[in-house]
Amino acid sequence: MNDDIPRGCLCYTKKNKGEIPKSFKKANKILSKYKHNNLNIQDDDILYVIIRLYVAENKANAISMLQRCRINPNFEINLQRKDLEYFIPQIVNFMIFHQQLSDENLIQFVLQASSIDFFFAHQVFFQLKSLSQIITPNEPVTFNIVKKFTDNFFIKMSHNYAGNLLIASHLLKINLEEINFNKNNLNTSNEAISPTKSTLQQVYQGTPRIESLKVNENITFYGTFEWNKNEYQQCIPNLILNNYKEIHLQDYNSIFGKRSNNLDTAFYSNICFWDDIMKICEELSKAKKKTEVLHSYLQKMNENLPAAVYVPFVGNQIRNHAVLKIVYKESRVFSTKMRSPFSLILELFRPEIEEKNNSQIVEEQISFPITANTNVKSKIQKQELKYDDIERRFSSADIQKSIQNEFLQLKFHQSNLTINQNKLDGTSKFYCLNDDSINSDVEQSDQNDIPKYSTSYSLQENVQAFSLEGPSSTHQLDKKEKEDLFISKMHRNSYLQAEKGIKLNSEEYNELKKTIFGESSTQQAERIKSQSIFQNLKSWKLVHLIIKTGDNLKQEQFALQLISQFDQIFKKSGLPLKLRYYEVLSLGPDCGIIEMIKNATTIDSLQKNLRKRYKNFINFSDFFRSFFRDNIDQALQNYVQSLTAYGLVCYFLQVKDRHNGNILLDSEGHLIHIDFGFFLSNAPGKGMEFEGKVPFKLLSDYIQVLGGAKGTLFKENFRKLFYKGFKACQQYQKEILLLVEMMYTGHGTTLPCFQKGDQAIKELYARFNPKVKSDAELYVHVQSLINKSLDNWRARWYDKFQYFAQGVFY
């Protein structure tokens, strides 16, 4: 390291004008257009409230607005995320890079919100921890002030949640019948908190710890060395748990070391569990027999389960579910040269649902709005502790100086940064079904001649299709319009091509399905459940995860937040566009968890199977029409709607590295994209950038499924849906632009997607706003984007490059 580079900070001053990150220097210019955009902002316009925090001169007013916003998601109305938890990355980004952790009022707000909702608190903690260090090509740069603040935040939350267990099982102690769940009152003002609301908010503060008087030995040994040693599993029927009340959710204890005796473990319990998972991932890189070592560690963790720990995603599918056990036998390691990511399957259950038959009532209760502007007194409020009271030993001047030095240090380490070709790092390989499909040599076969489709689309056809639109198509669609956008039954013979494909009997179909997609999630769940002592729990479920270390997942987490926002736009617009996506959570500077998509395989893996085992299928389209023959209507709907949705996302966000290893097909016909290491402005390929001028990937292989470029499905469905989706994205573009601009004006320089600097923002805006004067011109523009993408030679050559470089089939 250069001795001239100051150590231990995050900073910039007037003396170091040349060292200030460009994104931060231009923050005021980029966001200034929103300064006067404060008319009629409602408390539920969360995104516009947060932008006030960024641009308002009076931060106190902005923070006051934040205090009236709901903290937690409303799972009754899952269409839009109008809650602060969803925008924690933007809030923490502002705290660190714009305020340098110097705004005491904002710090107090975050502490207050975290103290009444432990989901919120954990999300803030993981976001802070992820930003405490930046991984550069040379060596990590630690932001010491952020690390110090994160440590203090952890201590404060540990005090606040002392004596509790952090899982929402406190609902068991609430008499649901005595509570009035009038939906009309759910969004009323929180100025005066009623006793009912106070009681409901206790749910998010955890459950008082109750010592277990009797421990069920079967629960203790299940999934451990002892369980296997004594062959308990051979007599499962006699060991099945019949009373959920025997499950006592206590804290989780680390398998890698002892915790300080004077530290209450409630808040740390969940952090400790995931720290152990990440530590295992690191240990596997050193091990020779990786699978054996992995199973050994996971069995040891099972000795401390069940526990009051959960998967800290922001979605509703597994929220409030406690971890029962790890299904260690199902875990699989994929080793790269430097890392050892692995899959993880957890058995979960939701305590309060075991008590009540009506889960809808429980959902209404969970969805009750919580704001920081409340009379519910957390332990932090009762103790009247300030951030300064917890080992704070640095002044505002120290913070400013430290911030300057660390940015200078970061620039030094990034000075020689080059964007290398993205290599398969293991994520897509988890969708391969066996070792043969990963490691075996692939026989190269002669390529069939690819039909050459005309990229011309006559103006007459454009006008004719456009005339179906009617006036403004960006508002909510009525029922008839929605039906028109689905596949029309009237033209069935023109696109179904019933004579295409191979007729499979039941045995052939099942064999094909098992080979291509493997064991379905339902079959797997039934198999695992039949071997579990928890099989009688009505809320029992599995969650499938990918664990990774050595990778900066902050960018992928950000990309998935944007994709989620696109999904909300499509739903608000009433468009039948389907984005099946997954959750990513960065748990630290270079580690995190990724939700695994089930019942899906990569197009690469599918193509390999077709060429090696099923040569009777002519191509991808032939397979599609054969496999989905009995349900072709629905499969084609799913296919065209997901192809269109991801086409729009890939165009607006300029998602690159779209080879067939990063695109999945699921067993219902949806196309799904994974791995978002390249988007907005960075791309693979040291200067070559094969995909550089391709609007989005739309190869002939994909179009053949729709009957070709001149087929009814492509002309009447894909083109029309793409245009309507483009219009919807235009109408709600601020929801994307705001997220991107806020993130860029903070730690933009630390994310590769902002490689081009503010030019990336300008280009994104230009894609939303092409220079057209009418809807008719816009329609022509949108169709030209499709035409340019049609079997584009650059995308085709990128696929060929990936095949020769990494063996990814195309």
Side-chain angles (χ1 to χ4, degrees):
M1 177 191 282
N2 190 334
D3 292 333
D4 295 334
I5 303 299
R7 299 169 185 258
C9 63
L10 224 176
C11 53
Y12 49 84
T13 61
K14 292 182 179 179
K15 293 181 180 179
N16 295 320
K17 283 184 179 180
E19 314 303 337
I20 305 174
K22 291 181 179 179
S23 61
F24 205 90
K25 283 199 299 183
K26 299 186 178 182
N28 291 334
K29 181 180 179 181
I30 291 171
L31 297 174
S32 62
K33 55 182 172 288
Y34 301 111
K35 278 202 170 183
H36 303 293
N37 185 24
N38 60 350
L39 299 176
N40 300 319
I41 294 179
Q42 304 297 318
D43 293 342
D44 63 349
D45 294 334
I46 303 293
L47 197 53
Y48 294 97
V49 172
I50 294 176
I51 196 62
R52 301 311 309 154
L53 187 68
Y54 275 73
V55 301
E57 294 182 6
N58 188 339
K59 303 299 181 188
N61 289 340
I63 294 171
S64 177
M65 293 177 71
L66 286 176
Q67 290 176 326
R68 296 193 299 271
C69 296
R70 66 177 297 138
I71 294 170
N72 59 315
N74 183 355
F75 293 132
E76 283 191 285
I77 307 173
N78 214 16
L79 178 64
Q80 292 177 269
R81 288 299 300 265
K82 294 186 175 182
D83 58 275
L84 291 178
E85 182 187 291
Y86 183 75
F87 297 104
I88 283 175
Q90 283 71 35
I91 295 173
V92 174
N93 174 68
F94 177 79
M95 288 176 61
I96 293 176
F97 293 101
H98 285 257
Q99 292 288 299
Q100 301 91 53
L101 299 172
S102 62
D103 190 323
E104 191 66 35
N105 290 331
L106 182 57
I107 289 174
Q108 287 302 316
F109 164 74
V110 172
L111 289 173
Q112 185 181 10
S114 299
S115 69
I116 60 177
D117 186 337
F118 64 84
F119 296 112
F120 191 94
H122 276 129
Q123 288 288 332
V124 170
F125 174 81
F126 289 128
Q127 189 67 28
L128 287 168
K129 187 177 179 182
S130 294
L131 291 179
S132 65
Q133 190 179 68
I134 302 300
I135 307 300
T136 68
N138 298 314
E139 64 179 85
V141 175
T142 300
F143 293 171
N144 290 324
I145 294 300
V146 180
K147 187 177 184 301
K148 180 87 171 178
F149 181 87
T150 305
D151 293 342
N152 291 334
F153 179 86
F154 165 75
I155 294 171
K156 199 164 188 62
M157 290 303 108
S158 295
H159 282 293
N160 181 72
Y161 291 108
N164 286 353
L165 291 170
L166 299 188
I167 203 71
S169 58
H170 190 66
L171 287 167
L172 295 172
K173 307 186 185 309
I174 299 176
N175 187 342
L176 296 177
E177 287 74 19
E178 294 180 359
I179 298 177
N180 178 17
F181 288 107
N182 187 338
K183 294 183 179 181
N184 295 326
N185 295 330
L186 285 180
N187 294 320
T188 56
S189 172
N190 285 279
E191 294 297 328
I193 301 296
S194 67
T196 296
K197 293 180 181 178
S198 299
T199 305
L200 289 171
Q201 289 190 340
Q202 292 177 20
V203 171
Y204 295 84
Q205 295 176 20
T207 304
R209 187 176 289 108
I210 300 174
E211 293 296 330
S212 302
L213 299 178
K214 182 181 179 181
V215 177
N216 186 319
E217 188 179 79
N218 299 334
I219 296 176
T220 303
F221 291 147
Y222 172 55
T224 66
F225 292 108
E226 193 68 27
W227 180 267
N228 294 325
K229 179 180 176 182
N230 294 303
E231 298 183 343
Y232 281 93
Q233 62 268 35
Q234 294 183 5
C235 52
I236 285 287
N238 300 323
L239 303 174
I240 294 173
L241 186 71
N242 292 314
N243 188 348
Y244 76 93
K245 292 184 179 179
E246 294 184 54
I247 301 174
H248 298 282
L249 297 176
Q250 298 301 317
D251 291 313
Y252 173 83
N253 296 308
S254 174
I255 64 172
F256 288 106
K258 294 184 179 180
R259 204 181 293 112
S260 174
N261 293 330
N262 59 359
L263 177 65
D264 188 278
T265 60
F267 183 72
Y268 182 47
S269 185
N270 202 56
I271 297 169
C272 181
F273 176 83
W274 293 107
D275 280 351
D276 275 8
I277 294 292
M278 296 303 136
K279 179 68 174 175
I280 290 173
C281 201
E282 293 175 2
E283 293 297 316
L284 290 178
S285 299
K286 311 170 190 175
K288 293 183 178 179
K289 298 181 178 179
K290 298 182 186 299
T291 301
E292 183 179 323
V293 171
L294 172 63
H295 290 177
S296 175
Y297 276 128
L298 296 182
Q299 287 180 87
K300 194 170 182 181
M301 288 185 69
N302 273 338
E303 295 175 9
N304 296 326
L305 297 172
V309 297
Y310 65 99
V311 181
F313 285 152
V314 298
N316 185 32
Q317 293 300 314
I318 52 178
R319 196 178 181 96
N320 295 306
H321 286 74
V323 176
L324 288 166
K325 291 288 180 176
I326 301 170
V327 190
Y328 72 88
K329 289 183 179 179
E330 303 289 324
S331 291
R332 172 185 172 194
V333 183
F334 178 79
S335 295
T336 63
K337 189 174 182 180
M338 301 294 293
R339 312 176 185 101
S340 295
F342 65 90
S343 61
L344 187 72
I345 299 180
L346 305 176
E347 289 186 74
L348 311 175
F349 90 120
R350 189 165 172 177
E352 67 274 14
I353 289 181
E354 298 301 321
E355 175 75 6
K356 298 296 175 183
N357 293 323
N358 191 343
S359 61
Q360 182 60 38
I361 292 179
V362 174
E363 288 300 335
E364 289 181 1
Q365 189 169 346
I366 291 290
S367 299
F368 209 90
I370 293 181
T371 67
N373 185 16
T374 175
N375 291 332
V376 176
K377 297 294 183 182
S378 67
K379 293 180 183 178
I380 284 182
Q381 292 169 303
K382 291 175 183 176
Q383 296 170 4
E384 295 184 350
L385 293 175
K386 293 185 178 180
Y387 178 64
D388 290 325
D389 296 330
I390 302 184
E391 301 181 5
R392 181 169 177 173
R393 297 290 182 269
F394 43 84
S395 65
S396 297
D398 293 331
I399 295 175
Q400 182 69 14
K401 183 178 179 181
S402 180
I403 295 281
Q404 293 167 355
N405 291 335
E406 282 168 359
F407 264 134
L408 183 62
Q409 186 180 3
L410 177 62
K411 181 173 180 180
F412 170 76
H413 284 294
Q414 289 187 322
S415 59
N416 297 318
L417 176 62
T418 57
I419 304 298
N420 296 321
Q421 170 64 37
N422 191 32
K423 297 180 180 179
L424 292 179
D425 59 4
T427 301
S428 63
K429 292 299 185 183
F430 281 103
Y431 296 94
C432 297
L433 302 179
N434 50 55
D435 292 334
D436 303 356
S437 60
I438 297 178
N439 300 318
S440 62
D441 294 331
V442 178
E443 296 180 4
Q444 184 175 0
S445 59
D446 294 334
Q447 299 295 314
N448 294 325
D449 290 336
I450 300 171
K452 299 300 180 183
Y453 294 108
S454 170
T455 58
S456 63
Y457 196 61
S458 70
L459 182 60
Q460 182 180 0
E461 288 177 308
N462 282 332
V463 174
Q464 183 180 3
F466 178 73
S467 65
L468 298 174
E469 303 292 318
S472 178
S473 60
T474 57
H475 300 293
Q476 284 282 348
L477 304 179
D478 60 29
K479 184 177 180 181
K480 184 178 184 306
E481 285 181 304
K482 289 182 182 180
E483 290 174 352
D484 288 343
L485 290 174
F486 282 93
I487 297 172
S488 170
K489 303 285 184 183
M490 294 177 63
H491 300 287
R492 181 182 179 86
N493 293 332
S494 66
Y495 65 81
L496 287 186
Q497 298 174 305
E499 74 282 1
K500 300 292 184 181
I502 302 171
K503 290 184 179 180
L504 304 172
N505 60 37
S506 177
E507 184 178 345
E508 291 171 333
Y509 172 81
N510 290 331
E511 180 191 352
L512 179 63
K513 185 175 182 179
K514 184 177 180 181
T515 302
I516 300 299
F517 296 104
E519 185 181 34
S520 73
S521 58
T522 302
Q523 292 171 334
Q524 184 185 39
E526 289 174 352
R527 174 175 57 80
I528 294 174
K529 192 173 185 178
S530 68
Q531 302 167 9
S532 172
I533 66 171
F534 301 114
Q535 60 185 260
N536 284 344
L537 297 176
K538 58 188 176 185
S539 63
W540 182 96
K541 65 163 48 180
L542 296 178
V543 61
H544 303 77
L545 305 171
I546 297 172
I547 310 301
K548 297 184 76 174
T549 59
D551 279 335
N552 179 2
L553 293 182
K554 291 190 287 291
Q555 173 160 304
E556 185 143 3
Q557 181 179 336
F558 176 47
L560 268 298
Q561 185 187 32
L562 293 174
I563 292 173
S564 171
Q565 202 69 22
F566 273 106
D567 186 52
Q568 293 180 56
I569 289 172
F570 296 148
K571 288 176 180 176
K572 281 191 297 186
S573 303
L575 291 171
L577 292 173
K578 297 183 179 179
L579 281 172
R580 188 181 175 194
Y581 54 94
Y582 53 98
E583 287 206 55
V584 175
L585 181 62
S586 176
L587 299 179
D590 63 344
C591 63
I593 54 179
I594 302 172
E595 179 186 8
M596 190 172 185
I597 296 175
K598 296 302 294 177
N599 305 325
T601 185
T602 65
I603 302 295
D604 166 49
S605 178
L606 171 61
Q607 296 280 31
K608 286 176 180 175
N609 273 303
L610 295 185
R611 297 195 187 191
K612 290 176 62 178
R613 302 183 184 185
Y614 298 99
K615 297 181 181 179
N616 51 332
F617 294 114
I618 300 172
N619 52 28
F620 174 57
S621 174
D622 197 34
F623 161 78
F624 191 97
R625 291 179 177 278
S626 302
F627 182 79
F628 295 109
R629 192 178 191 88
D630 293 338
N631 194 27
I632 192 65
D633 270 343
Q634 186 60 54
L636 283 172
Q637 280 189 25
N638 295 340
Y639 182 84
V640 72
Q641 291 164 5
S642 57
L643 178 66
T644 308
Y646 269 109
L648 287 162
V649 167
C650 289
Y651 170 66
F652 285 117
L653 297 184
Q654 286 296 284
V655 180
K656 301 302 181 184
D657 198 33
R658 295 301 87 196
H659 56 71
N660 284 338
N662 285 340
I663 302 175
L664 310 180
L665 176 74
D666 74 7
S667 58
E668 295 179 344
H670 299 97
L671 284 178
I672 306 148
H673 287 240
I674 61 172
D675 286 354
F676 298 95
F678 298 97
F679 75 105
L680 285 182
S681 67
N682 66 323
K686 302 180 179 179
M688 290 186 289
E689 297 189 11
F690 286 113
E691 304 168 285
K693 296 183 180 180
V694 184
F696 60 97
K697 187 169 186 175
L698 188 62
L699 298 184
S700 58
D701 305 32
Y702 300 158
I703 304 167
Q704 285 175 350
V705 176
L706 304 179
K710 294 185 178 181
T712 303
L713 263 179
F714 188 75
K715 289 169 61 177
E716 298 299 330
N717 291 85
F718 180 85
R719 286 187 180 274
K720 185 175 178 180
L721 267 178
F722 199 94
Y723 170 72
K724 282 186 173 288
F726 194 103
K727 289 274 288 182
C729 292
Q730 260 196 329
Q731 181 181 358
Y732 296 105
Q733 62 181 278
K734 276 189 178 180
E735 296 182 8
I736 304 298
L737 290 169
L738 278 171
L739 289 175
V740 172
E741 289 169 343
M742 284 190 284
M743 198 62 74
Y744 172 62
T745 59
H747 63 77
T749 55
T750 72
L751 296 179
C753 63
F754 292 118
Q755 184 184 21
K756 287 185 180 179
D758 59 316
Q759 184 63 25
I761 307 294
K762 293 178 182 177
E763 291 177 359
L764 176 62
Y765 180 84
R767 287 191 291 275
F768 279 114
N769 302 280
K771 295 179 180 180
V772 296
K773 298 179 181 179
S774 66
D775 281 354
E777 287 188 13
L778 178 64
Y779 189 85
V780 174
H781 170 77
V782 170
Q783 300 312 313
S784 71
L785 293 176
I786 296 173
N787 295 338
K788 288 177 184 177
S789 302
L790 270 170
D791 209 28
N792 189 291
W793 69 270
R794 291 176 180 273
R796 177 65 66 186
W797 272 100
Y798 184 70
D799 276 357
K800 289 183 179 180
F801 171 76
Q802 286 294 333
Y803 173 71
F804 288 114
Q806 302 189 61
V808 177
F809 262 53
Y810 59 94

